[in-house]
Amino acid sequence: AFHADLDHCRLPAATYDLIIVFFFLDRKLVSQIVNALRPGGLLFYESFNMNKLKERSRMRRDFLLKKGELAQLFSGLKVIWDSDAAGEDGFTSSLIGQK
């Protein structure tokens, strides 16, 4: 297991069988995350989407996912599961992808 602050860490290529990202969104890291997965590796990703504005109207929009954005960002992966209204409140988008 490896726990990292992705603001300060560079992921090595083709190293991980599983990467899990929760409630962190930096679109510049997408290619690094995909490259860090080994062939057959899995990505579990979940973060807030634009629906969160219903609860917190002042939240920064650049930290929120648009509908369908996770599947688009990780289009290089085989999408196993994708949801733009996960959770009871529908405030999160989720993706499980495989390299």
Side-chain angles (χ1 to χ4, degrees):
F2 177 66
H3 177 263
D5 179 345
L6 293 177
D7 283 328
H8 306 287
C9 177
R10 182 109 179 117
L11 298 174
T15 302
Y16 302 102
D17 293 315
L18 175 65
I19 296 177
I20 301 171
V21 181
F22 284 105
F23 302 105
F24 180 85
L25 180 61
D26 185 343
R27 291 166 181 89
K28 295 178 292 187
L29 295 174
V30 169
S31 62
Q32 187 181 156
I33 291 169
V34 171
N35 289 336
L37 285 170
R38 289 183 181 161
L42 294 171
L43 171 67
F44 287 69
Y45 202 113
E46 183 169 286
S47 197
F48 290 121
N49 60 37
M50 291 292 179
N51 291 337
K52 186 70 174 170
L53 293 171
K54 295 174 188 172
E55 179 185 72
R56 295 181 64 192
S57 61
R58 293 182 183 206
M59 193 164 183
R60 287 182 48 185
R61 291 175 183 260
D62 54 330
F63 293 147
L64 302 173
L65 290 159
K66 297 173 187 82
K67 185 175 182 175
E69 187 176 5
L70 274 180
Q72 180 184 352
L73 287 172
F74 292 101
S75 62
L77 300 179
K78 174 185 172 187
V79 175
I80 295 171
W81 189 76
D82 181 30
S83 173
D84 282 315
E88 290 181 25
D89 51 23
F91 293 166
T92 59
S93 292
S94 302
L95 178 128
I96 299 172
Q98 184 175 33
K99 188 168 186 180

